[in-house]
Every structure is written in structure tokens, then in C-alpha cells.
Amino acid sequence: MANRSLFASSQGRLVPQSDCINQSGAPAYDLVAPHKLAQLAMTGTFGGGYYRDAASQMRELIALAQKVSPEFLARAAVHVRERGYMKDTPCLLLAVLSLRDPALFARAFARIVTNGKMLRNFVQIMRSGQVGRKSLGSRPKGLVQDWLNGATDTQLLSASVGQSPSLADVIRMVHPHPRNPGREAFYAWLIGRPAETALLPENVQALLAFRSGQSDILPDVPFQLLGSLNLTPAHWEQVARRATWQTLRQGLNMLTRNGAFGNAETVTHVAAVLRDPERIRAAKAMPYQLMATLRALSPDVDPALADALHDAMELAVANVPRIAGRVVICPDVSGSMSSPVTGYRLGATTTVRCIDVAALVAAALKRTNRDALVLPFEQRVCDVVLEPRDTIMTNATRLAAIGGGGTDCAAPLARLNEKGGRADLVVFISDNESWMRVDANARGTALMREWETLKRRCPGARLVCIDIQPYGTSQASEREDILNIGGFSDAVFDQMAAFASGEVGAAYWVQQIEREVL
């Protein structure tokens, strides 16, 4: 007779066998190529993570971009840009697409290269040689020329801010054919050649006059072009009144230092801009960006502006769904979650950590679903009390202050099972690098074993795993009651709501990408 300890009968549905090892060396489930591509592209920022460096992240994304169909690659690039608000990864996918399918590349280009920064990102990636060529090639060169010639004077002037490559480098590289003498003069000025001032755009003429002292009227140009000049507080006040939402969010400390908010009317105006729902939507503000601003805010900034940022945070997560039934929220607060959410980047490492984003998502869900149970976890569940009426930032800060140990993604479900707790929707926000509970003699991951135990008690329960790091594996297998999604924009809330209501299945995220119209 066979060994009973090895071949004993099991109850309930069979836990799927794990099929890979994650970055921390523990059993995990590998995602299929399209899903993995989407997850890496929605969370990858080409900064070094806790378990993997930027170079290996880039190589894996390129390899996956070669593996999926050109059609899916094009749709994924568009989706990541328009729904995930990403900048670098859609440009990389677009660069790979330029070699795989020039026709699809041409259709996707305008959807991804929406401003001068994206244009410079794309050119930088193409010229790096990482996707297989060091020159742009005729089709990409033509589309870059078309973007330059079709851009407004204001768009080109804004695009001239930034380096590596600079807009001047791009112009020298592709040699756009100017459509009129004015644009010819503008191109010449942008690359540092002599140009007839009278033919330049009015705002450039105003900038030159202001720089030379011929005029004391502040030109309406990006403030970075004025940084080397000795501006008065009155000038900085004008800069603040003209600035875009993102410029204000990023520049409040700088504007305060330069005396821009000495006038109460200016403070009122800027506060109204910061909390304006339409401007927030147009800026595609990600909640973690507001968190970064609030955490870095100088105590010298007017309290009215800080209050406006808190209001903007509430609006940025206004589409968090109200979910019927018992909701359990499980933010990962383990040690690996202390890494910067956009990775380590020389001179540009964000202060916002993965744990901050997990806490932010959990706090936003708790705000809308006030009866939700929050179970932060590391190698165990960490008890914490959140007040639904507190601001999202207050609760997120409270959550992010706990934890720091090893990672056991099964811990929250084990707690539920020990207490006989019920759940209709369980939401994990994690980097998915669980390693604390490994049983060589058991099937699958500890999380899946605990999930099956919970499912026997709550057969209609659904599980959503939100991954915020680009590692490409999951502790939960892909099946009808489990949704694996990636990213840290507010797009995850829409996907979660549709899945929780039963309107869509576990393949919803990839299906969404496949339905993108090019």
C-alpha cells in the first residue's frame, strides 16, 4: 500500500501547484506572457528595486515584448500610457514595436508620444541600442519630424526644458523641414543658431526682451527658462498664477521660498487650482504623487495650500468603489516594502516607498468601505486601528509606520481562518515576494492553501492581488475567483470594482488591454 502520509485524500478543491520561484527564492505562480508584460510595464520605472536591479528589469520587459504578438504589444503600450500614466515603459514598448511592426508602431506613436518629454524619452531609448538599433530608422524619424512640425510654439518651448537628449539634440538628429519662415527661425533659435528675432514666436521674443532688460514684463514661458534671472516676488507671484497643476504641485516649496505667496489673493487662486477636480483629472494625478508632495511640504508653505493638497488627495481617489459585502484589505508592510516605489535612481529616487502606496490604497478603500477589515501584514498580522473619518493621508501614515519584518502573504488569510471570519472580497496590496511560510511537502503557495480553506467557508469570495513592483510572479494563481493586476494609478480601482461585482472575470485586465482601439 502506498505511503498514507504522502498520498492521503484531500478535501475541497485541489490547490494548484506552483510553477516558478520568486525573487526571494520561494514558490510562486508565473504569469502568462501577456499578463506579465502588462504587470511589468504598469509598475516598471527602470529604477532598482529591493530584489532586482534596473538593468534586469529592462531586459525582461524587452524579452516579453518580443514574445507577445505585435497587436498585443501595441495595445499594451497605449494602455500603460493612457491608463497607467507611465512614461518610460510605454516608450520602451513603442521602441520594440518600431522593429516588429512599423504599421502598428505608426498608429500607436501619437497615443504615447503626447508631449516633448515623451518625445525625448522615446528618442533616448531608440538611440541607446537596447532594443536592437542605435539609429531611429526612417519611419521613427519621420514620425518625430511630424511631431515637431505639428507641435505648437508653446509645446516646443515647453519641450526645450530638459536634457539627455535635449530638444536641440532631437532637432539636430532628425532635421525637421520647417513649414514656414517663422518655424525655421524657431528651430534655429532652439539649436543655438542665429535667428531673426522678428520671426520668432511672440513669447520667445518677450523672453529675449526680458532677459536683455529691454522689458520688465514677465514672459509667459516655463519658469525653468527664467531660473537664472533675478526675479522679484511679484514676478514669482505671476509664475504661480500661470502655472499648470503639476507645476504647482511640484513647486510649492520653491515658490514659497521666492515669495510668490505674499498676496492672499494669490494663495486663494492657487489653492482653488490645486483642488479643482477638472485640473486634477487633466493632470492625470496619481495619489502617490500627492503623497510625495505632502510629505516633502515645507512648514513655511501656507496652510491653505496644504489643505488644498489634502482635498486634491481625496479627489484623486474619488472613484474608489463602494463594494457590497464583507471587504478585507491586506496591505503588505514587510521590510521589502521599504524600497522606493519607483525604484532607486541616481539623483531622482522618490521618497515614497512601496509601503506608502500600499497604505494609501488601503486607506482609500477604508474611506469608502467603512466596515472593511484592515489586516496589515509582514511575517504576521499587525494590529492597527484606522478611523474612516480621518484623512486618507492620516490613515496612510498610520499604516506605513508599522511592520518591517519578513513577508508572509498567507498571514491575513490564516488570521481569518483561525477566527472563522468571513469575506466577500479580499484585497492584497503587495510586492508579492512572500517567503516566510514554505512547505516542501505541500502543493502551491501558503496563500493559496489558506485561500482554499476560506473558500470552503465563503464559496463566493473573490481575491484581488494588486502588485506594485515589477517582479512578474504572484502568490495567487490565475483563475476565475482571483484577479492579479499591477500598477499604482487609480485605474486599479475601476478594475477592482468590476471584478468584485462579478461583472467580469479574472482575465479582465488583459482583456481590457486586448480591446484597446488603435
Side-chain angles (χ1 to χ4, degrees), residues 358-381:
L360 179 61
V361 174
L365 283 167
K366 179 69 173 177
R367 165 59 63 84
T368 306
N369 302 274
R370 299 198 169 202
D371 295 329
L373 175 63
V374 181
L375 297 176
F377 69 94
E378 40 166 61
Q379 60 199 39
R380 59 181 177 80
V381 171

Side-chain angles (χ1 to χ4, degrees), residues 239-304:
V239 170
R241 284 179 168 271
R242 292 172 178 174
T244 65
W245 188 91
Q246 285 285 18
T247 297
L248 287 173
R249 178 189 68 79
Q250 295 171 319
L252 285 176
N253 289 345
M254 179 271 297
L255 290 167
T256 298
R257 284 196 305 272
N258 286 289
F261 301 118
N263 186 325
E265 291 183 1
T266 301
V267 173
T268 301
H269 170 81
V270 170
V273 170
L274 288 171
R275 60 166 56 96
D276 183 342
E278 291 301 320
R279 289 180 183 251
I280 292 169
R281 277 192 288 272
K284 297 182 177 178
M286 285 199 273
Y288 93 90
Q289 294 174 321
L290 284 157
M291 172 180 272
T293 300
L294 281 163
R295 289 182 56 176
L297 209 60
S298 165
D300 297 328
V301 171
D302 194 292

Side-chain angles (χ1 to χ4, degrees), residues 197-210:
T197 302
L199 294 176
L200 293 173
E202 290 184 6
N203 54 355
V204 176
Q205 293 185 42
L207 173 63
L208 295 175
F210 187 79

Side-chain angles (χ1 to χ4, degrees), residues 13 44 55 81 133 149 154 186 213 222 240 255 277 292 368 371 416 420 422 424 432 445 503:
R13 179 160 44 179
R81 174 62 180 146
R133 70 191 310 171
N149 288 329
T154 299
F186 195 13
L255 290 167
T368 306
D371 295 329
L416 281 176
R422 303 193 64 82
D424 295 293
N432 260 313
T445 62
E503 297 173 17

Side-chain angles (χ1 to χ4, degrees), residues 87-359:
K87 299 179 179 67
D88 294 343
T89 53
C91 283
L92 179 62
L93 299 184
L94 187 66
V96 175
L97 186 63
S98 71
L99 297 174
R100 295 198 61 195
D101 193 317
L104 281 173
F105 161 74
R107 286 157 62 184
F109 184 89
R111 301 273 295 276
I112 295 165
V113 180
T114 55
N115 55 44
K117 177 174 176 54
M118 293 298 290
L119 184 80
R120 292 188 292 105
N121 281 356
F122 171 73
V123 171
Q124 178 186 4
I125 288 169
M126 289 291 289
R127 294 276 292 174
S128 71
Q130 294 292 348
V131 300
R133 70 191 310 171
K134 288 191 174 182
S135 63
L136 286 178
S138 58
R139 180 69 66 92
K141 180 179 178 180
L143 288 170
V144 171
Q145 289 174 334
D146 290 345
W147 190 93
L148 291 168
N149 288 329
T152 65
D153 292 339
T154 299
Q155 287 174 321
L156 280 182
L157 194 59
S158 295
S160 70
V161 175
Q163 299 294 322
S164 302
S166 66
L167 183 66
D169 295 332
V170 175
I171 292 172
R172 293 189 191 99
M173 196 180 303
V174 302
H175 304 292
H177 303 293
R179 60 177 182 257
N180 55 50
R183 181 52 61 94
E184 183 177 11
F186 195 13
Y187 285 154
W189 180 80
L190 286 167
I191 63 176
R193 291 181 179 174
E196 187 174 341
T197 302
L199 294 176
L200 293 173
E202 290 184 6
N203 54 355
V204 176
Q205 293 185 42
L207 173 63
L208 295 175
F210 187 79
R211 283 177 173 174
S212 66
Q214 297 176 11
S215 170
D216 60 0
I217 299 174
L218 188 74
D220 188 7
V221 298
F223 78 88
Q224 294 91 336
L225 298 175
L226 304 168
S228 62
L229 306 177
N230 292 321
L231 302 186
T232 66
H235 286 140
W236 283 111
E237 181 181 337
Q238 290 183 61
V239 170
R241 284 179 168 271
R242 292 172 178 174
T244 65
W245 188 91
Q246 285 285 18
T247 297
L248 287 173
R249 178 189 68 79
Q250 295 171 319
L252 285 176
N253 289 345
M254 179 271 297
L255 290 167
T256 298
R257 284 196 305 272
N258 286 289
F261 301 118
N263 186 325
E265 291 183 1
T266 301
V267 173
T268 301
H269 170 81
V270 170
V273 170
L274 288 171
R275 60 166 56 96
D276 183 342
E278 291 301 320
R279 289 180 183 251
I280 292 169
R281 277 192 288 272
K284 297 182 177 178
M286 285 199 273
Y288 93 90
Q289 294 174 321
L290 284 157
M291 172 180 272
T293 300
L294 281 163
R295 289 182 56 176
L297 209 60
S298 165
D300 297 328
V301 171
D302 194 292
L305 300 177
D307 287 345
L309 286 173
H310 279 285
D311 290 343
M313 173 70 84
E314 301 289 337
L315 288 166
V317 294
N319 66 334
V320 175
R322 175 76 178 91
I323 298 168
R326 179 62 158 166
V327 178
V328 180
I329 309 165
C330 309
D332 184 348
V333 296
S334 64
S336 63
M337 296 287 283
S338 64
S339 63
V341 71
T342 54
Y344 297 97
R345 304 181 71 165
L346 185 62
T349 299
T350 178
T351 60
V352 178
R353 304 161 298 167
C354 295
I355 192 174
D356 296 316
V357 173

